[in-house]
Each structure stands twice: as C-alpha cells, then as structure tokens.
Amino acid sequence: MKQFECFWGYGYRGEDEKSILAHHDLHFFNEDRGYSFEDCQKINMLDVGQIRHFNDDGSEHWVRRMS
C-alpha cells in the first residue's frame, strides 16, 4: 500500500502556530480535502522518495511518497 508523508507549513498552521507533519495513504487525497482530480493523479504517480509541491498560492504544502 502506498504511504505518503505530508507537510503543511506557512498558510496551514493550526492555532498553536506549529507546522503539521502527518502520514496518510492514498485514500486521504480527494476533492473534499482540496486536492483536484489532477492533483490526486500526480500524487498517485509519485515514485518512492519523490515530492509533489503545492505552493501555488503562497502557502507551504508538500507530499512525499514513502512506500
């Protein structure tokens, strides 16, 4: 099963102002969570160790495939 490490920094921080690092499987990424169909396809196509950056709006977010 594919596993991903996700980082949310500037623009996504919680009330404590800390960055967020979490692990998710492929089912986490969907339009309800703000990922377009194209984003989901690109995440699904990542090889182990590859990163997809989502910094288009000035925020800091990336997804790395771990396994």
Side-chain angles (χ1 to χ4, degrees):
M1 179 184 289
K2 295 179 182 180
Q3 290 291 312
F4 301 88
E5 180 178 55
C6 306
F7 176 81
W8 292 269
Y10 179 78
Y12 293 100
R13 294 180 181 160
E15 293 177 12
D16 60 2
E17 289 300 316
K18 293 183 180 179
S19 300
I20 302 165
L21 184 67
H23 294 94
H24 295 286
D25 63 19
L26 194 58
H27 299 289
F28 175 82
F29 306 100
N30 58 57
E31 291 180 355
D32 291 338
R33 289 198 173 93
Y35 297 95
S36 70
F37 179 76
E38 181 180 279
D39 291 337
C40 295
Q41 285 184 316
K42 289 179 180 180
I43 291 169
N44 188 37
M45 293 173 56
L46 290 173
D47 290 326
V48 173
Q50 285 186 315
I51 297 174
R52 171 83 171 121
H53 293 273
F54 297 94
N55 302 341
D56 299 337
D57 62 357
S59 60
E60 186 178 14
H61 173 45
W62 53 258
V63 174
R64 175 183 7 225
R65 180 160 173 208
M66 300 304 291
S67 67

